[in-house]
Amino acid sequence: MIKKAVTSMLCIGLILIVCIPIKAQYNEILAPTPPMGWISWNLFEGNISESIVMELADAMEANGLKEVGYEYIILDDLWHGGRDENGKILSDPVKFPNGMKVVADYVHSKGLKFGIYTDIAEYTCAGMVGSLNYEESDAQTFAEWGVDYIKCDYCHAPEDLWTAVDRYGKFIKAVRATGRPMVFAICEWGQRSPWLWGSKVDGQLWRTTWDLRDTWEHGQYNNGHNGIMEALDRQVGLEKYAGPGRWNDPDMLVIGLNGTGASSSANGASGCSVVEYEAQFGLWALLSAPLLMTCDIRDMSVDTKRILTNPELIAVNQDKLGKQASRINKNNSEEIWAKPLADGSWAVGFLNRDNNEVKNITLNSSELGLKGKLKVRDLWLHQDLEVKQAEQLTLSVKPHECRVLKIELER
Ligand code: GLA
């Protein structure tokens, strides 16, 4: 009964949304490929400052991250300093003594882009001032500061779909009216099926899940418990909603945190193994998910840097076709995920979810619609693999490993 009512509400909602006239005032597609960058929440929470942002911008360049495509530095919650007597939003004067424009200017001087966080209610999730009823003022202020990306949360807002669509729609309209091309990230945790309406209100990405914790699997899924595997399962069926300028967002990369984050470590999430972090990167690349790092990029281990800068997986994530991988095969703990690429080839993930056993996972080339001799490249090993049987490919996959291959017909 309730399910039926929710479904019909969603349908009526959609019909209305299609009629909402929101048009950007410039001709470029925002976020034509999934956004790549770094976001402050998992590691720093409130301990952010002008000097930290500057150090991170320096690190993005010095550590080769900018070179492989990372471009945004995004401040999440707790940068705020209230409002002035005219209602203009202010940054925290202690954390950002020279104001936010100076911070954004520095990020831009490095050839990078700057993002900021707000919430479309009276308060943010961490209790700072939100943008409700200040949509035009905040959009204008963000534009003046030189913001390129806005993450907009939904804490303290009513639960119904209508309010979410209305509030996000109104705010994005104000953002577009500034004329500054700012990517807009909707963050209502997938609770109101934002993949159905996020793009209609001109959002470029939308969270599909609760906050991701720094763990492989929690064994339960709710606000507080969500591991890499729980988030992954919730992407099944959402692939049709993804494309250039409209991305499903299964939340930040936990790679390299090793349990050192704050709320990312909540409820016993104590970090992942290197193999598990590799799997998150491979899967997020296949899913065309935003690649938003959260570890301390000023000081990365050799493995963390190797994973985050894998150029062949980044190319899969940034592929111009913008398709999201589908789970084309599931046999207990063995899964195959496949993403078509612009050059006619496929990126294919072989995932072993078993906790203990190595599995041999077999792909039949017909599952990709390919007939003939295959050309196969391993995107973790960075080498071509020899194919013994024309129609079949069997890979040995370690527990919690996701091997990713690029597969095409030999020309
Ligand atoms: C929510 C969001 C997180 C983060 C925090 C900040 O939980 O889902 O990603 O932005 O708020 O308070």
Side-chain angles (χ1 to χ4, degrees):
M1 192 53 187
I2 294 177
K3 210 170 167 198
K4 238 182 169 176
V6 171
T7 314
S8 45
M9 265 173 64
L10 275 173
C11 293
I12 302 168
L14 273 180
I15 295 167
L16 288 176
I17 294 157
V18 175
C19 304
I20 298 174
I22 295 181
K23 265 265 146 285
Q25 294 175 346
Y26 33 84
N27 288 327
E28 70 188 283
I29 291 193
L30 289 173
T33 59
M36 291 176 65
W38 180 91
I39 185 162
S40 60
W41 187 247
N42 280 347
L43 192 63
F44 289 98
E45 298 213 339
N47 297 321
I48 41 177
S49 64
E50 173 185 290
S51 59
I52 286 179
V53 176
M54 289 177 172
E55 283 171 29
L56 287 161
D58 292 348
M60 195 92 115
E61 196 169 43
N63 292 337
L65 296 162
K66 177 182 162 192
E67 202 185 324
V68 295
Y70 293 96
E71 60 175 346
Y72 292 97
I73 300 228
I74 305 165
L75 283 179
D76 206 295
D77 212 342
L78 296 169
W79 57 264
H80 313 66
R83 294 188 182 276
D84 72 9
E85 63 280 9
N86 300 316
K88 190 175 161 121
I89 200 160
L90 302 168
S91 53
D92 184 309
V94 176
K95 295 174 183 174
F96 303 98
N98 300 303
M100 213 47 109
K101 183 158 183 353
V102 168
V103 177
D105 285 350
Y106 188 83
V107 171
H108 291 150
S109 75
K110 295 276 159 182
L112 300 167
K113 292 182 175 170
F114 181 62
I116 213 154
Y117 164 100
T118 187
D119 189 298
I120 196 61
E122 211 178 330
Y123 302 105
T124 69
C125 294
M128 301 289 105
V129 289
S131 291
L132 183 66
N133 299 326
Y134 291 91
E135 292 84 355
E136 277 161 27
S137 169
D138 287 0
Q140 201 51 50
T141 303
F142 294 161
E144 280 163 19
W145 287 348
V147 167
D148 305 295
Y149 180 114
I150 300 170
K151 168 177 174 179
C152 186
D153 226 328
Y154 200 67
C155 280
H156 309 292
E159 291 210 346
D160 63 288
L161 165 72
W162 314 103
T163 306
V165 172
D166 182 54
R167 288 191 182 186
Y168 279 115
K170 188 169 173 210
F171 191 24
I172 298 175
K173 209 168 171 184
V175 168
R176 298 299 170 238
T178 67
R180 184 173 176 85
M182 295 185 256
V183 167
F184 197 96
I186 293 170
C187 180
E188 60 75 79
W189 324 289
Q191 294 301 291
R192 281 146 287 261
S193 309
W195 43 87
L196 296 178
W197 50 268
S199 179
K200 298 287 194 295
V201 297
D202 204 11
Q204 280 65 53
L205 57 153
W206 41 83
R207 283 271 299 276
T208 53
T209 34
W210 292 117
D211 292 5
L212 182 67
R213 308 299 172 180
D214 186 10
T215 189
W216 178 251
E217 192 158 30
H218 253 306
Q220 54 177 309
Y221 176 74
N222 53 44
N223 184 8
H225 297 87
N226 177 27
I228 295 170
M229 289 301 100
E230 282 89 11
L232 177 69
D233 284 337
R234 276 151 193 90
Q235 309 317 306
V236 176
L238 300 189
E239 54 270 29
K240 53 181 170 293
Y241 303 106
R246 49 193 167 87
W247 308 107
N248 292 307
D249 173 9
D251 207 7
M252 314 163 195
L253 298 172
V254 289
I255 296 152
L257 284 175
N258 297 309
T260 56
S263 50
S264 56
S265 293
N267 299 317
S270 57
C272 300
S273 67
V274 170
V275 168
E276 292 167 344
Y277 282 144
E278 284 174 348
Q280 189 196 13
F281 199 71
L283 289 163
W284 264 231
L286 288 160
L287 291 170
S288 300
L291 297 180
L292 297 180
M293 309 175 286
T294 57
C295 66
D296 193 343
I297 56 173
R298 297 167 301 182
D299 182 21
M300 290 180 285
S301 72
V302 172
D303 278 327
T304 298
K305 186 171 170 186
R306 173 182 59 78
I307 296 169
L308 291 172
T309 58
N310 182 325
E312 297 192 78
L313 284 170
I314 290 173
V316 167
N317 176 265
Q318 295 290 300
D319 184 73
K320 297 278 174 287
L321 197 57
K323 295 280 187 200
Q324 173 175 327
S326 306
R327 182 158 70 188
I328 59 166
N329 210 326
K330 177 164 176 65
N331 178 12
N332 298 318
S333 57
E334 300 166 24
E335 297 184 4
I336 300 182
W337 291 76
K339 166 178 169 148
L341 301 174
D343 65 1
S345 66
W346 290 81
V348 183
F350 294 68
L351 172 66
N352 176 5
R353 295 171 71 149
D354 194 274
N355 294 334
N356 306 303
E357 281 177 33
V358 174
K359 298 279 182 185
N360 286 324
I361 304 182
T362 298
L363 170 82
N364 291 310
S365 56
S366 60
E367 291 176 273
L368 302 178
L370 299 177
K371 245 183 172 323
K373 189 156 172 30
L374 299 181
K375 186 169 168 244
V376 175
R377 184 167 174 80
D378 188 314
L379 305 186
W380 281 116
L381 297 176
H382 306 301
Q383 67 189 35
D384 293 344
L385 301 184
E386 198 196 325
V387 182
K388 298 205 177 88
Q389 272 178 287
E391 315 269 295
Q392 259 190 6
L393 189 70
T394 299
L395 283 192
S396 160
V397 190
K398 289 183 279 198
H400 298 185
E401 187 182 27
C402 181
R403 294 186 64 179
V404 188
L405 306 183
K406 186 171 179 185
I407 302 181
E408 60 201 304
L409 281 178
E410 202 159 72
R411 288 168 218 265

